[in-house]
Amino acid sequence: MGRSRDVVVESGRGTREPPRPAGTPAGTAADPAADRAPEAAPGTAAPGPTAPAGTVPGPAGPVAAPAGTVAEVLGGYLQERAAEFLRGLRTHAQGTGAGTGGTGAGPGGTAGAADPARAAASVGALRSAARRMNGVLVTYRALLDPVWADDLRTELSWLAGVVAREYACADRLERLSGALHRLASGPAGSGEGTGPAAAEAGGRTPGAPGGGRRSAGGGAATRERGALPVGAARAGALLERRLTLARTRAHSAALQALGSARFHAVADAVALLASETPFRPGGDAGRPAAAMLAPPAEQARCRLDEAVAALPLTRAGAPYNADGLSRSLGVEARQDAAWDHVRVLLRVHRYAQEVLGPHAVPDPRLRPAGEALERHHEAAAAAAAAASAAATPRIAPATAYALGVLHADQRHEVEAARFAFGCHWTRTHPENAPSCS
């Protein structure tokens, strides 16, 4: 897999880097935090004597469309994301000690010391680049080689999911442990629990419902917290056993995947993409980007609007909707899937806007709505983990009760996130946005 990938990754040594499309801000996709918090599209470009030909319909009137051909704009964007993906793979291999030689995580690399913080950060960058490539391959599939695009999407999803699973388990454990201590310790200053240490351990970071996102490997902080009631302590121990086991298995699966032939094939395919984008034979790669990129981006926006219209936003009309808890677990899972589908479509829409660069139609809803859907996704997954633990055979009634309270707490966070999404989506809707009908 070796040299083709290193030419892109070793950009700091004067080697070639794929061209950056005009109007794309540097470093946008490499920041995992920026990827979790969707950004609003940049402002519209003012028309002038040098404005490129073609326009995109916008809420405030026509917006200048990107200059250049489809190959230059779309191909440049994909090449940049491919380079970021490869850098993330290399950093992850170095952070896990899998290999620090000239071939990244390949068998030719020499073993190095593991750096968990570096590995966790690299996973965020890797997933950010993979999601962007996936979203763009979905939106602009008609302009690309369809067989190649479908195959690459499948492989990118597999690899990004495998390497991120262990960190998701660690984040979920930390979230549930923080919520359990908060619920068992009582309100701050009430004298319940274990004093200031419990208040600090049980508290959540501002704006992060349900315990927030914490770095991988935070189990030590959980053990330093004050004592819990017997049922809550046993519930916390059960959750720690289950999620630590899942994390260990995910870590082993990631190491196995990084040494597999399938991983090498994915890395080589992305390395080739970093130098050349396969467009549809005899297609529109040479046509102006202004005429070819705006319609697929508009279709992505329409699919998002249609999916949002199908959500029960009126039912989620309260910050903490107690009526939302009067459903079975099966109904919860089906409704969570619909909201998660909207989360994915919002990302696809945002990535299509990124391809258009500063000429995209500004939409102030994207950042707050995306943050609300991310909180919804994390809280729903945590609630499902609590419910699964409560189904463990032969657990004590006090343990099952604590897990039930924890499940209800996370479902309240789900309803709060749905309420926040509805507020952001309806109150800041662009009044003059083009209709999808």
Side-chain angles (χ1 to χ4, degrees):
M1 56 186 272
R3 297 186 59 85
S4 60
R5 208 166 44 254
D6 296 333
V7 171
V8 178
V9 175
E10 297 290 339
S11 58
R13 301 181 182 178
T15 54
R16 172 185 56 78
E17 180 115 358
R20 184 181 299 275
T24 302
T28 300
D31 185 1
D35 189 63
R36 290 195 303 270
E39 297 181 353
T44 58
T50 60
T55 59
V56 179
V63 179
T69 65
V70 171
E72 292 171 347
V73 177
L74 179 58
Y77 181 89
L78 285 172
Q79 289 166 11
E80 184 181 356
R81 301 289 85 76
E84 290 168 354
F85 182 88
L86 293 172
R87 283 193 292 269
L89 278 182
R90 184 179 183 87
T91 306
H92 181 264
Q94 294 171 346
T96 56
T100 57
T103 57
T110 57
D115 186 348
R118 185 179 185 183
S122 68
V123 166
L126 185 151
R127 296 189 69 201
S128 172
R131 282 195 293 258
R132 281 172 161 81
M133 284 190 286
N134 260 329
V136 170
L137 291 175
V138 169
T139 303
Y140 298 105
R141 181 178 181 274
L143 302 174
L144 302 165
D145 183 338
V147 176
W148 167 84
D150 293 342
D151 290 344
L152 183 59
R153 281 179 52 211
T154 301
E155 297 305 296
L156 286 174
S157 299
W158 164 76
L159 181 58
V162 165
V163 299
R165 198 165 295 131
E166 65 170 300
Y167 301 98
C169 291
D171 288 339
R172 196 162 300 143
L173 174 60
E174 198 65 12
R175 178 190 182 94
L176 288 171
S177 298
L180 192 60
H181 278 76
R182 170 174 52 81
L183 293 168
S185 299
S190 64
E192 301 178 23
T194 58
E200 179 182 357
R204 291 170 288 174
T205 56
R213 176 181 291 273
R214 292 171 173 84
S215 60
T222 301
R223 290 188 291 271
E224 293 174 0
R225 295 166 179 159
L228 289 173
V230 175
R234 290 178 177 174
L238 177 60
L239 288 169
E240 185 167 3
R241 286 197 304 270
R242 290 172 61 92
L243 291 174
T244 300
L245 177 60
R247 182 187 174 193
T248 301
R249 290 174 175 172
H251 179 73
S252 300
L255 292 180
Q256 183 178 5
L258 291 175
S260 66
R262 186 177 182 182
F263 161 73
H264 289 285
V266 177
D268 288 338
V270 176
L272 292 176
L273 172 60
S275 58
E276 181 181 2
T277 304
F279 287 93
R280 183 184 293 272
D284 304 306
R287 297 187 61 181
M292 303 305 300
L293 297 183
E298 181 63 18
Q299 292 174 5
R301 185 191 68 83
C302 290
R303 287 194 297 268
L304 173 62
D305 286 342
E306 292 171 357
V308 172
L311 293 177
L313 291 181
T314 56
R315 185 183 179 91
Y320 287 88
N321 181 19
D323 184 51
L325 296 177
S326 60
R327 298 189 296 266
S328 66
L329 296 180
V331 174
E332 285 180 358
R334 289 194 296 272
Q335 291 201 359
D336 290 343
W339 286 83
D340 205 51
H341 180 60
V342 172
R343 181 179 66 95
V344 173
L345 291 179
L346 188 145
R347 279 180 173 172
V348 171
H349 168 53
R350 181 164 60 92
Y351 301 153
Q353 299 294 92
E354 286 183 1
V355 175
L356 299 178
H359 310 290
V361 178
D363 191 342
R365 303 173 297 175
L366 295 185
R367 175 188 288 274
E371 290 174 345
L373 290 176
E374 289 297 328
R375 294 197 301 270
H376 177 277
H377 176 71
E378 293 172 1
S388 178
T392 303
R394 296 185 300 278
I395 61 175
T399 305
Y401 173 78
L403 290 171
V405 172
L406 185 59
H407 173 266
D409 174 75
Q410 294 302 301
R411 292 308 304 182
H412 273 305
E413 299 294 352
V414 167
E415 296 299 326
R418 292 178 179 180
F419 172 78
F421 172 83
C423 291
H424 293 309
W425 195 259
T426 57
R427 293 178 184 176
T428 60
H429 192 286
E431 295 181 358
N432 299 323
S435 174
C436 296
S437 58

